[in-house]
Coordinates of all heavy atoms in Angstrom, one line a residue:
R566 N 19.7 6.2 -7.7 CA 20.0 4.8 -7.7 C 20.2 4.4 -6.2 O 20.8 5.2 -5.5 CB 21.2 4.4 -8.4 CG 21.4 2.9 -8.6 CD 22.7 2.7 -9.5 NE 22.5 3.3 -10.8 CZ 21.9 2.6 -11.8 NH1 21.4 1.4 -11.6 NH2 21.8 3.2 -13.0
P567 N 19.7 3.2 -5.9 CA 20.0 2.8 -4.4 C 21.5 2.9 -4.1 O 22.4 2.5 -4.9 CB 19.4 1.4 -4.4 CG 18.5 1.3 -5.5 CD 19.0 2.2 -6.6
S568 N 21.8 3.3 -2.9 CA 23.2 3.3 -2.5 C 23.8 1.8 -2.2 O 22.9 1.0 -2.1 CB 23.4 4.1 -1.2 OG 22.7 3.5 -0.1
A569 N 25.1 1.8 -2.2 CA 25.7 0.5 -1.9 C 25.1 0.0 -0.5 O 24.9 -1.2 -0.3 CB 27.2 0.6 -1.9
D570 N 25.1 0.9 0.4 CA 24.6 0.5 1.8 C 23.1 0.0 1.7 O 22.8 -1.0 2.4 CB 24.7 1.6 2.8 CG 26.1 1.9 3.2 OD1 26.9 1.1 2.9 OD2 26.3 3.0 3.7
D571 N 22.3 0.6 1.0 CA 20.9 0.3 0.8 C 20.8 -1.2 0.2 O 20.0 -2.0 0.7 CB 20.1 1.3 0.1 CG 19.9 2.5 0.8 OD1 19.9 2.5 2.1 OD2 19.6 3.6 0.1
M572 N 21.5 -1.3 -0.8 CA 21.5 -2.7 -1.5 C 22.1 -3.7 -0.6 O 21.5 -4.9 -0.6 CB 22.3 -2.6 -2.9 CG 21.5 -1.8 -4.0 SD 22.2 -2.0 -5.6 CE 23.7 -0.8 -5.5
E573 N 23.1 -3.5 0.2 CA 23.5 -4.5 1.1 C 22.6 -4.9 2.2 O 22.4 -6.0 2.6 CB 24.9 -4.0 1.8 CG 25.5 -5.0 2.7 CD 25.7 -6.4 2.1 OE1 26.1 -6.5 0.9 OE2 25.5 -7.3 2.9
A574 N 21.8 -3.8 2.6 CA 20.8 -4.0 3.7 C 19.7 -4.9 3.0 O 19.2 -5.8 3.8 CB 20.3 -2.7 4.1
G575 N 19.3 -4.6 1.8 CA 18.3 -5.4 1.2 C 18.8 -6.8 1.0 O 18.0 -7.8 1.1
A576 N 20.1 -7.0 0.6 CA 20.6 -8.4 0.4 C 20.6 -9.1 1.8 O 20.3 -10.3 1.8 CB 21.9 -8.3 -0.2
L577 N 20.9 -8.5 2.8 CA 21.0 -9.1 4.2 C 19.6 -9.6 4.6 O 19.3 -10.7 5.0 CB 21.5 -8.1 5.1 CG 21.4 -8.7 6.6 CD1 22.3 -10.0 6.8 CD2 22.0 -7.5 7.6
L578 N 18.5 -8.7 4.3 CA 17.2 -9.0 4.6 C 16.7 -10.2 3.8 O 16.1 -11.1 4.4 CB 16.2 -7.8 4.3 CG 14.8 -8.0 4.7 CD1 14.7 -8.0 6.2 CD2 14.1 -6.8 4.1
S579 N 17.1 -10.4 2.6 CA 16.7 -11.4 1.7 C 17.4 -12.7 2.2 O 16.7 -13.8 2.2 CB 17.1 -11.2 0.3 OG 16.4 -10.1 -0.2
R580 N 18.6 -12.6 2.6 CA 19.3 -13.8 3.1 C 18.7 -14.3 4.4 O 18.4 -15.6 4.5 CB 20.8 -13.5 3.4 CG 21.6 -13.3 2.1 CD 23.1 -13.1 2.5 NE 24.0 -12.9 1.4 CZ 24.4 -11.7 1.0 NH1 24.1 -10.6 1.7 NH2 25.1 -11.6 -0.1
V581 N 18.4 -13.5 5.4 CA 17.8 -13.9 6.6 C 16.3 -14.5 6.3 O 15.9 -15.4 7.0 CB 17.8 -12.7 7.6 CG1 17.1 -13.2 8.9 CG2 19.1 -12.2 7.8
A582 N 15.7 -13.9 5.4 CA 14.3 -14.4 5.1 C 14.2 -15.7 4.5 O 13.2 -16.3 4.4 CB 13.6 -13.4 4.1
T583 N 15.5 -16.4 4.1 CA 15.4 -17.7 3.6 C 15.3 -18.7 4.8 O 14.9 -19.9 4.5 CB 16.7 -18.0 2.9 OG1 17.8 -18.0 3.8 CG2 16.9 -17.1 1.7
D584 N 15.5 -18.2 6.0 CA 15.6 -19.1 7.0 C 14.8 -18.8 8.3 O 14.5 -19.7 9.1 CB 17.1 -19.2 7.6 CG 17.5 -20.3 8.5 OD1 17.3 -21.5 8.2 OD2 17.9 -20.0 9.6
D585 N 14.4 -17.5 8.5 CA 13.8 -17.1 9.7 C 12.3 -16.8 9.4 O 12.0 -16.0 8.6 CB 14.4 -15.9 10.3 CG 13.8 -15.5 11.6 OD1 12.7 -14.8 11.6 OD2 14.4 -15.9 12.6
P586 N 11.3 -17.5 10.1 CA 9.9 -17.3 9.7 C 9.4 -15.9 10.0 O 8.6 -15.4 9.2 CB 9.2 -18.4 10.5 CG 10.3 -18.8 11.6 CD 11.5 -18.6 11.0
E587 N 9.9 -15.3 11.1 CA 9.4 -13.9 11.3 C 9.8 -13.0 10.2 O 9.0 -12.2 9.8 CB 9.9 -13.4 12.7 CG 9.4 -12.0 13.1 CD 10.0 -11.4 14.3 OE1 11.0 -12.1 14.8 OE2 9.5 -10.4 14.8
V588 N 11.1 -13.1 9.9 CA 11.6 -12.2 8.9 C 10.9 -12.5 7.5 O 10.5 -11.6 6.7 CB 13.1 -12.3 8.7 CG1 13.7 -11.4 7.6 CG2 13.8 -11.9 10.1
A589 N 10.8 -13.8 7.2 CA 10.1 -14.1 5.9 C 8.8 -13.6 5.8 O 8.3 -13.1 4.8 CB 10.2 -15.7 5.7
L590 N 7.9 -13.7 7.0 CA 6.6 -13.2 6.9 C 6.5 -11.7 6.8 O 5.6 -11.2 6.0 CB 5.8 -13.7 8.2 CG 4.4 -13.5 8.2 CD1 3.7 -14.2 6.9 CD2 3.7 -14.0 9.5
A591 N 7.5 -11.0 7.5 CA 7.5 -9.6 7.4 C 7.8 -9.1 6.0 O 7.2 -8.1 5.4 CB 8.5 -9.0 8.4
V592 N 8.7 -9.8 5.3 CA 9.1 -9.5 4.0 C 7.9 -9.7 3.0 O 7.5 -8.8 2.2 CB 10.2 -10.3 3.4 CG1 10.4 -10.2 2.0 CG2 11.5 -9.8 4.2
K593 N 7.1 -10.8 3.2 CA 5.9 -11.1 2.4 C 4.8 -10.1 2.7 O 4.1 -9.6 1.7 CB 5.5 -12.5 2.7 CG 6.3 -13.6 2.2 CD 6.5 -13.7 0.7 CE 7.3 -14.9 0.3 NZ 7.4 -14.9 -1.2
R594 N 4.7 -9.6 4.0 CA 3.6 -8.7 4.3 C 4.0 -7.3 3.6 O 3.0 -6.6 3.0 CB 3.6 -8.5 5.8 CG 2.5 -7.4 6.1 CD 2.0 -7.5 7.5 NE 0.8 -6.6 7.7 CZ -0.4 -6.9 7.4 NH1 -0.7 -8.1 7.0 NH2 -1.4 -6.0 7.5
Y595 N 5.2 -7.0 3.5 CA 5.6 -5.7 2.9 C 5.2 -5.9 1.3 O 4.7 -4.9 0.7 CB 7.1 -5.5 3.0 CG 7.7 -4.3 2.4 CD1 7.0 -3.1 2.4 CD2 8.9 -4.3 1.7 CE1 7.5 -1.9 1.7 CE2 9.4 -3.2 1.2 CZ 8.7 -2.0 1.1 OH 9.3 -0.9 0.5
A596 N 5.6 -7.0 0.7 CA 5.3 -7.1 -0.7 C 3.8 -7.2 -1.0 O 3.4 -6.8 -2.0 CB 6.0 -8.5 -1.1
H597 N 3.0 -7.9 -0.1 CA 1.6 -8.1 -0.4 C 0.7 -7.0 0.0 O -0.4 -6.8 -0.5 CB 1.2 -9.4 0.2 CG 1.6 -10.7 -0.6 ND1 0.7 -11.4 -1.4 CD2 2.9 -11.2 -0.7 CE1 1.4 -12.4 -1.9 NE2 2.7 -12.3 -1.6
Y598 N 1.1 -6.3 1.1 CA 0.2 -5.3 1.8 C 0.8 -4.0 1.8 O 0.2 -3.0 2.3 CB -0.1 -5.7 3.2 CG -1.1 -6.9 3.3 CD1 -0.6 -8.1 3.4 CD2 -2.5 -6.7 3.2 CE1 -1.5 -9.2 3.4 CE2 -3.3 -7.8 3.2 CZ -2.8 -9.0 3.3 OH -3.7 -10.2 3.4
F599 N 2.0 -3.8 1.2 CA 2.8 -2.5 1.1 C 2.9 -1.9 2.6 O 2.8 -0.6 2.7 CB 2.0 -1.4 0.3 CG 1.5 -2.1 -1.1 CD1 0.3 -1.8 -1.5 CD2 2.2 -3.0 -1.7 CE1 -0.3 -2.4 -2.7 CE2 1.8 -3.6 -2.9 CZ 0.5 -3.3 -3.4
D600 N 3.2 -2.7 3.5 CA 3.3 -2.4 4.9 C 4.6 -2.7 5.5 O 5.0 -4.0 5.5 CB 2.1 -3.1 5.7 CG 2.2 -2.7 7.1 OD1 3.0 -1.9 7.6 OD2 1.4 -3.4 7.9
R601 N 5.5 -1.7 5.8 CA 6.8 -1.9 6.3 C 6.8 -2.1 7.8 O 7.9 -2.4 8.4 CB 7.7 -0.7 5.9 CG 8.1 -0.6 4.5 CD 9.2 0.4 4.3 NE 10.3 0.1 5.1 CZ 11.4 -0.6 4.7 NH1 11.3 -1.2 3.4 NH2 12.4 -0.9 5.4
G602 N 5.7 -2.0 8.5 CA 5.7 -2.0 9.9 C 6.4 -3.1 10.6 O 7.3 -3.0 11.5
A603 N 6.1 -4.4 10.1 CA 6.7 -5.6 10.7 C 8.1 -5.6 10.5 O 8.9 -6.1 11.4 CB 6.0 -6.8 10.2
L604 N 8.7 -5.1 9.4 CA 10.1 -5.1 9.1 C 10.9 -4.1 10.0 O 12.1 -4.3 10.1 CB 10.3 -4.7 7.7 CG 10.0 -5.6 6.6 CD1 10.2 -5.0 5.2 CD2 11.0 -6.9 6.7
Q605 N 10.2 -3.3 10.7 CA 10.9 -2.3 11.5 C 10.8 -2.6 13.0 O 11.2 -1.8 13.9 CB 10.2 -0.9 11.3 CG 10.4 -0.4 9.9 CD 9.5 0.8 9.5 OE1 8.6 1.1 10.2 NE2 9.9 1.6 8.5
S606 N 10.5 -3.9 13.2 CA 10.3 -4.3 14.6 C 11.7 -4.5 15.3 O 12.7 -4.9 14.5 CB 9.5 -5.6 14.8 OG 10.2 -6.7 14.3
P607 N 11.9 -4.3 16.5 CA 13.3 -4.5 17.2 C 13.7 -6.0 17.1 O 14.9 -6.2 16.9 CB 13.0 -4.1 18.6 CG 11.8 -3.2 18.6 CD 11.0 -3.7 17.5
S608 N 12.8 -7.0 17.1 CA 13.3 -8.3 17.1 C 13.8 -8.6 15.7 O 14.8 -9.4 15.6 CB 12.0 -9.2 17.3 OG 11.0 -9.1 16.3
I609 N 13.3 -8.1 14.6 CA 13.8 -8.3 13.3 C 15.2 -7.6 13.2 O 16.2 -8.2 12.7 CB 12.9 -7.8 12.2 CG1 11.7 -8.9 12.1 CG2 13.6 -7.7 10.9 CD1 10.8 -8.6 11.0
A610 N 15.3 -6.4 13.7 CA 16.6 -5.7 13.7 C 17.6 -6.5 14.5 O 18.8 -6.6 14.0 CB 16.5 -4.4 14.4
D611 N 17.3 -7.2 15.5 CA 18.2 -8.0 16.3 C 18.7 -9.2 15.5 O 19.9 -9.6 15.5 CB 17.6 -8.5 17.6 CG 17.4 -7.4 18.7 OD1 18.0 -6.4 18.5 OD2 16.7 -7.6 19.6
K612 N 17.7 -9.8 14.8 CA 18.0 -11.0 14.0 C 18.9 -10.6 12.8 O 19.8 -11.4 12.4 CB 16.7 -11.7 13.5 CG 15.9 -12.3 14.6 CD 14.6 -12.9 14.1 CE 13.9 -13.6 15.2 NZ 12.6 -14.2 14.8
L613 N 18.7 -9.5 12.2 CA 19.6 -9.1 11.1 C 21.0 -8.8 11.6 O 22.0 -9.3 10.9 CB 19.1 -7.9 10.5 CG 17.7 -8.0 9.7 CD1 17.2 -6.6 9.2 CD2 17.7 -9.0 8.6
A614 N 21.1 -8.2 12.7 CA 22.4 -8.0 13.3 C 23.2 -9.2 13.7 O 24.4 -9.4 13.4 CB 22.3 -7.0 14.5
A615 N 22.4 -10.2 14.3 CA 23.1 -11.4 14.7 C 23.5 -12.2 13.5 O 24.6 -12.8 13.5 CB 22.0 -12.4 15.5
W616 N 22.8 -12.2 12.4 CA 23.1 -13.0 11.3 C 24.4 -12.3 10.6 O 25.3 -13.0 10.3 CB 22.0 -12.8 10.1 CG 22.3 -13.6 8.9 CD1 23.1 -13.2 7.9 CD2 21.6 -14.8 8.4 NE1 23.1 -14.2 6.9 CE2 22.1 -15.1 7.1 CE3 20.6 -15.6 8.9 CZ2 21.7 -16.2 6.4 CZ3 20.2 -16.7 8.2 CH2 20.8 -17.0 7.0
K617 N 24.4 -11.0 10.6 CA 25.6 -10.3 10.1 C 26.9 -10.6 10.9 O 28.0 -10.9 10.3 CB 25.3 -8.8 10.0 CG 26.4 -8.0 9.2 CD 25.9 -6.6 9.0 CE 26.9 -5.8 8.2 NZ 26.6 -4.3 7.9

Side-chain angles (χ1 to χ4, degrees):
R566 188 177 300 275
S568 68
D570 287 345
D571 287 342
M572 286 193 281
E573 179 54 37
L577 176 62
L578 185 65
S579 296
R580 291 186 179 99
V581 181
T583 65
D584 190 60
D585 185 279
E587 181 189 9
V588 177
L590 191 57
V592 168
K593 294 292 186 181
R594 181 162 187 84
Y595 180 40
H597 282 251
Y598 290 92
F599 318 141
D600 178 5
R601 288 189 58 88
L604 284 173
Q605 296 168 339
S606 73
S608 62
I609 286 182
D611 290 344
K612 289 177 177 181
L613 295 176
W616 183 288
K617 188 173 183 177

